[in-house]
Amino acid sequence: MLPRGRPRALGAAALLLLLLLLGFFQFGGDLEYGRPRGAAALDGAPPADPGGHNRSDCVQPRPLAPKCELLHVAIVCAGHNSSRDVVTLVKSILFYRKNPLHLHLVTDAVARSILEMLFHTWMVPAVRVSFYDADELKPQVSWIPNKHYSGLYGLMKLVLPGTLPLDLARVIVLDTDVTFASDIAELWALFAHFSDEQVIGLVENQSDWYLGNLWRNHRPWPALGRGFNTGVILLRLDRLRQVGWEQMWRLTATRELLTLPATSLADQDIFNAVIKEHPGLVRPLPCVWNVQLSDHTLAEGCYSEASDLKVIHWNSPKKLRVKNKHVGFFRNLYLTFLEYDGNLLRRELFGCPSLPHPGAEQWQRALAQLDGEDACSEFRQQQLTVHRVHVTFLPHELPPPRPLDVTLVAQLSMDRLQMLEALCRHWPGPMSLALYLTDAEAQQFLRFVEASAVLSARQDVAYHVVYREGPLYPINQLRNVALAQALTPYVFLSDIDFLPAYSLYDYLRASIEQLELGGRRKAALVVPAFETLHYRFSFPRSKAEVLASLDAGALYTFRYHEWPRGHAPTDYARWREAQAPYRVQWAADYEPYVVVPRDCPRYDPRFVGFGWNKVAHIVELDAQEYELLVLPEAFTIHLPHAPSLDLSRFRSSPTYRDCLQALKDEFHQDLSRHYGAAALKYLTALQQPRSPGA
């Protein structure tokens, strides 16, 4: 019985049950044990149905590629949304794979920046990734009119034989909207069954599109019977080059475009037109390797007979919202990998030698040197953790080039999402935000943004997902991710639980111009921080209203009751009367919120959890001789919230506090080595009472 009701993602344990269902669940077909009646042998010609279609055998033995053989996979990907789809596809491949992989990714600049960072930080053993510039390929296909939603990128599979390395003989080509339910090595093994003439392996199209009977005046491109779907392709690149593939498809497309206005299904129309003219080129593949869930799918004829589905293809523009009576069953498979913890896929392929990931050996040596008996080993291991990073997780438009522009930089976890809408109302400029999430939480975040009219309207907010791993919150690593992705000359280094003054964005840009910071002057502009203890209060619109709220007890200087040392050097008494920016001196435990050039020093990643993470950064700014200038009309206000888990641990655990002190000691030692005698004032400050320090 098919699962009903609202589909939801399956956990890791439930995944095994789903895989068993995929292997043994019968949709009502008439089966012999492990094989449908009437199935043709793999090496024989595919049987034709009464309509003369390209019926593919549905159940075959499971040949595998030789152990440790390198499998090559090509994917065309462009933009933010397609990049997320690639991640889910790759997860499904990695879950089952037993062979080394080489991914050949044809991408635009956006997808390359995202996926390069992702694979670099994912550090999956025995996976190589090569990138190819899609912009360089556009002239080869831009002459073809195409009505498909994929645009020019939907035509680029046609030029892969001339794009991929000349010494590459075979490649599996995949659309980004497919999900694997089996080892990709089984698909690779089907190359062995190509005849000498066959160069392209495809599954029959599982709809009547190419028969031309879906609606009146429907005129599709020519195809052999029902035609073939190009969501999963096996390409013999060496043979394609030998038969003159480029000239072949260009001549065919040019001829058909004399009578047809455009392609409707992008490269698939042209592949089918070529195959219609040269039927010997195609090797029909078993239908289970491309179960197509399109709007007019006939795929039930495949999966009702098959005992083992291999690849699910969401080839409707509606994707997971496609109307299909069995869609809940397939959706759960997709959602399983969508929300699956990608960290669990960092698995070694035992017995298969492979080049180590850059930096992996050094990282593993550092981990091996950790002392398990060290009370602070949890801190040290968290410092060494390499987190997967998915930059610009949602669509993002580059800010227009402005010489004095400022990006708000902050980090957050799932329990602070509610702050985002208010922050967007207060700060109209660009933002770069790092979110510490699990794979499942990242999808919740995506739905949260899509459901918010405020957030979905902002294309100048860049969200960067750093995937959760380890027990402590890597706050400075998150800040560094957000800071590195800021694209404006200046950044406002804030925290997510602060709301800036409504006018702060414009005021900061005017102040930067007034203070002439564009030259050699190194300055950090201090934005005075306040806090309210009330969950509901009227946000002040001006400095005068801030002062009135301070006098009325509705506002306080930040951490006035807990740790006034953290912001006392701002000199709030002077700020009350100030009409112009004024300089203040660094003091121990000072941790203001500042505006600095984008190329400022990064945060020290050793500080994880709660304590001294901002303090250390201000020390570094002072050591590099940044002036600290307080802005007289600027302010930002902290809103109340429940304490974080790390703050609770700091307050309750002497060991936690001892470990923080050890990190501070090491930080000061590093300062001495780097700055010499200039670091003496910081060592003196170390002798003062311990501070919490954010």
Side-chain angles (χ1 to χ4, degrees):
M1 183 176 185
L2 285 170
R4 295 185 179 180
R6 183 179 180 183
R8 59 187 180 89
L10 303 182
L15 176 61
L16 297 177
L17 175 60
L18 178 61
L19 302 182
L20 289 173
L21 286 172
L22 282 170
F24 301 106
F25 187 80
Q26 298 181 16
F27 286 84
D30 186 12
L31 294 176
E32 296 176 1
Y33 180 73
R35 183 179 178 84
R37 294 178 182 172
L42 181 64
D43 289 321
D49 68 9
H53 303 143
N54 313 305
R55 287 299 303 274
S56 300
D57 197 3
C58 286
V59 176
Q60 304 295 346
R62 296 186 179 182
L64 289 175
K67 179 179 172 64
C68 300
E69 181 179 0
L70 180 63
L71 312 186
H72 293 268
V73 179
I75 304 169
V76 178
C77 171
H80 300 86
N81 295 336
S82 184
S83 298
R84 292 200 310 272
D85 293 337
V86 165
V87 177
T88 306
L89 164 59
V90 170
K91 281 185 186 178
S92 71
I93 295 174
L94 292 177
F95 184 86
Y96 298 99
R97 67 100 181 217
K98 299 179 180 65
N99 285 67
L101 297 174
H102 189 162
L103 304 179
H104 301 265
L105 304 182
V106 178
T107 63
D108 65 352
V110 169
R112 176 162 186 166
S113 69
I114 294 169
L115 295 174
E116 248 183 350
M117 173 69 78
L118 179 77
F119 284 107
H120 176 72
T121 55
W122 202 346
M123 298 178 68
V124 181
V127 173
R128 292 180 57 195
V129 184
S130 297
F131 290 90
Y132 306 82
D133 189 351
D135 288 338
E136 294 182 0
L137 306 182
K138 285 181 179 179
Q140 300 183 51
V141 294
S142 59
W143 58 276
I144 304 171
N146 179 28
K147 295 188 293 185
H148 194 258
Y149 59 85
S150 60
L152 287 180
Y153 301 101
L155 296 164
M156 289 186 179
K157 286 181 283 185
L158 293 165
V159 301
L160 287 178
T163 302
L164 299 178
L166 293 178
D167 59 351
L168 182 58
R170 294 174 291 174
V171 69
I172 296 172
V173 185
L174 301 172
D175 280 356
T176 60
D177 56 358
V178 304
T179 307
F180 270 74
S182 187
D183 189 347
I184 194 172
E186 295 179 43
L187 178 59
W188 184 268
L190 298 182
F191 275 118
H193 301 280
F194 279 43
S195 70
D196 292 340
E197 184 184 2
Q198 291 168 339
V199 296
I200 305 171
L202 294 166
V203 171
E204 183 187 43
N205 196 48
Q206 293 165 1
S207 80
D208 287 339
W209 175 273
Y210 287 108
L211 299 183
N213 57 10
L214 292 183
W215 56 80
R216 183 179 297 178
N217 298 325
H218 174 219
R219 190 184 169 205
W221 278 56
L224 192 65
R226 276 208 177 91
F228 295 89
N229 183 277
T230 57
V232 177
I233 315 176
L234 301 186
L235 291 183
R236 282 297 306 259
L237 297 171
D238 50 353
R239 296 179 184 174
L240 282 166
R241 297 175 186 123
Q242 291 171 5
V243 300
W245 167 253
E246 182 177 357
Q247 183 181 20
M248 187 182 294
W249 74 259
R250 282 178 174 271
L251 288 174
T252 300
T254 301
R255 183 182 66 246
E256 297 301 329
L257 286 170
L258 294 175
T259 56
L260 291 164
T263 60
S264 295
L265 301 181
D267 66 84
Q268 182 169 300
D269 286 339
I270 298 175
F271 270 105
N272 274 289
V274 172
I275 291 169
K276 173 75 171 180
E277 190 173 355
H278 306 280
L281 297 179
V282 68
R283 172 72 192 186
L285 303 179
C287 65
V288 292
W289 285 107
N290 188 349
V291 177
Q292 302 149 40
L293 301 180
S294 62
D295 292 322
H296 306 285
T297 184
L298 302 174
E300 187 175 356
C302 174
Y303 60 71
S304 65
E305 296 180 1
S307 63
D308 193 7
L309 305 182
K310 307 292 189 180
V311 176
I312 311 303
H313 186 188
W314 302 89
N315 61 321
S316 164
K318 302 171 186 174
K319 302 307 176 187
L320 270 66
R321 294 186 295 273
V322 66
K323 292 182 179 180
N324 181 295
K325 62 183 177 180
H326 299 142
V327 70
F329 177 79
F330 298 108
R331 186 188 288 121
N332 278 341
L333 174 69
Y334 174 83
L335 293 178
T336 297
F337 293 114
L338 181 71
E339 303 192 356
Y340 190 82
D341 185 351
N343 299 327
L344 302 179
L345 297 169
R346 291 168 166 163
R347 301 185 299 224
E348 294 285 347
L349 294 182
F350 294 110
C352 294
S354 62
L355 293 175
H357 190 281
E361 289 185 339
Q362 182 179 358
W363 173 62
Q364 290 172 350
R365 283 196 300 269
L367 285 175
Q369 292 171 1
L370 292 178
D371 181 1
E373 301 300 320
D374 181 3
C376 300
S377 61
E378 186 179 60
F379 283 78
R380 305 194 188 285
Q381 184 164 350
Q382 189 73 63
Q383 298 166 30
L384 294 173
T385 300
V386 179
H387 294 273
R388 279 181 300 137
V389 178
H390 188 137
V391 297
T392 53
F393 189 74
L394 299 181
H396 173 247
E397 293 181 2
L398 300 179
R402 295 171 180 163
L404 306 177
D405 209 358
V406 183
T407 295
L408 187 149
V409 170
Q411 43 71 39
L412 67 151
S413 53
M414 196 69 180
D415 59 346
R416 299 288 189 267
L417 283 187
Q418 71 277 6
M419 292 294 302
L420 291 177
E421 286 192 351
L423 183 58
C424 283
R425 292 188 180 100
H426 279 250
W427 182 269
M431 288 188 270
S432 180
L433 305 176
L435 298 94
Y436 193 50
L437 305 172
T438 65
D439 293 72
E441 287 174 341
Q443 300 309 312
Q444 295 175 41
F445 162 69
L446 173 61
R447 294 190 291 270
F448 179 83
V449 173
E450 290 175 341
S452 167
V454 174
L455 300 181
S456 58
R458 291 290 297 271
Q459 296 294 302
D460 57 351
V461 180
Y463 301 101
H464 317 292
V465 173
V466 179
Y467 287 101
R468 188 192 299 174
E469 186 174 7
L472 296 169
Y473 189 74
I475 185 166
N476 277 358
Q477 295 181 45
L478 296 173
R479 285 174 170 148
N480 286 340
V481 168
L483 179 54
Q485 295 302 316
L487 301 174
T488 57
Y490 297 91
V491 289
F492 173 34
L493 304 178
S494 185
D495 275 336
I496 198 63
D497 42 11
F498 278 82
L499 289 181
Y502 285 106
S503 60
L504 186 61
Y505 174 60
D506 291 332
Y507 176 62
L508 291 178
R509 291 186 296 154
S511 298
I512 292 169
E513 182 175 19
Q514 176 188 357
L515 295 168
E516 299 179 346
L517 299 186
R520 296 183 178 181
R521 187 177 184 183
K522 295 171 66 175
L525 306 183
V526 175
V527 177
F530 301 86
E531 68 179 346
T532 177
L533 304 181
H534 303 288
Y535 282 89
R536 291 186 177 182
F537 85 113
S538 178
F539 197 94
R541 294 276 177 170
S542 65
K543 178 177 180 177
E545 291 186 14
V546 170
L547 295 177
S549 296
L550 281 170
D551 294 338
L555 282 180
Y556 299 91
T557 58
F558 184 52
R559 303 190 78 179
Y560 171 80
H561 299 90
E562 296 178 344
W563 190 251
R565 293 169 57 91
H567 290 263
T570 298
D571 194 349
Y572 288 95
R574 184 176 178 183
W575 182 81
R576 293 179 72 104
E577 308 297 334
Q579 300 294 318
Y582 58 92
R583 185 170 182 175
V584 295
Q585 298 300 314
W586 174 87
D589 298 314
Y590 193 28
E591 50 179 4
Y593 292 96
V594 296
V595 177
V596 288
R598 181 180 59 188
D599 61 356
C600 69
R602 290 329 190 224
Y603 288 86
D604 193 316
R606 85 183 80 203
F607 292 103
V608 295
F610 179 82
W612 242 65
N613 42 74
K614 284 205 314 294
V615 173
H617 188 244
I618 298 300
V619 169
E620 188 70 39
L621 291 177
D622 186 70
Q624 294 194 20
E625 300 180 339
Y626 277 73
E627 296 179 78
L628 295 171
L629 299 175
V630 180
L631 297 177
E633 299 295 327
F635 61 90
T636 186
I637 299 177
H638 178 267
L639 301 185
H641 57 76
S644 66
L645 176 61
D646 284 296
L647 175 56
S648 299
R649 292 183 64 186
F650 172 84
R651 290 171 173 170
S652 63
S653 171
T655 301
Y656 194 108
R657 295 192 292 273
D658 289 342
C659 291
L660 176 58
Q661 184 62 41
L663 295 179
K664 290 167 60 177
D665 294 344
E666 294 171 6
F667 172 77
H668 282 90
Q669 291 168 13
D670 289 344
L671 276 180
S672 297
R673 283 191 287 269
H674 193 265
Y675 296 105
L680 286 176
K681 67 175 181 179
Y682 309 116
L683 296 176
T684 303
L686 183 61
Q687 308 304 317
Q688 300 180 13
R690 295 182 183 182
S691 66

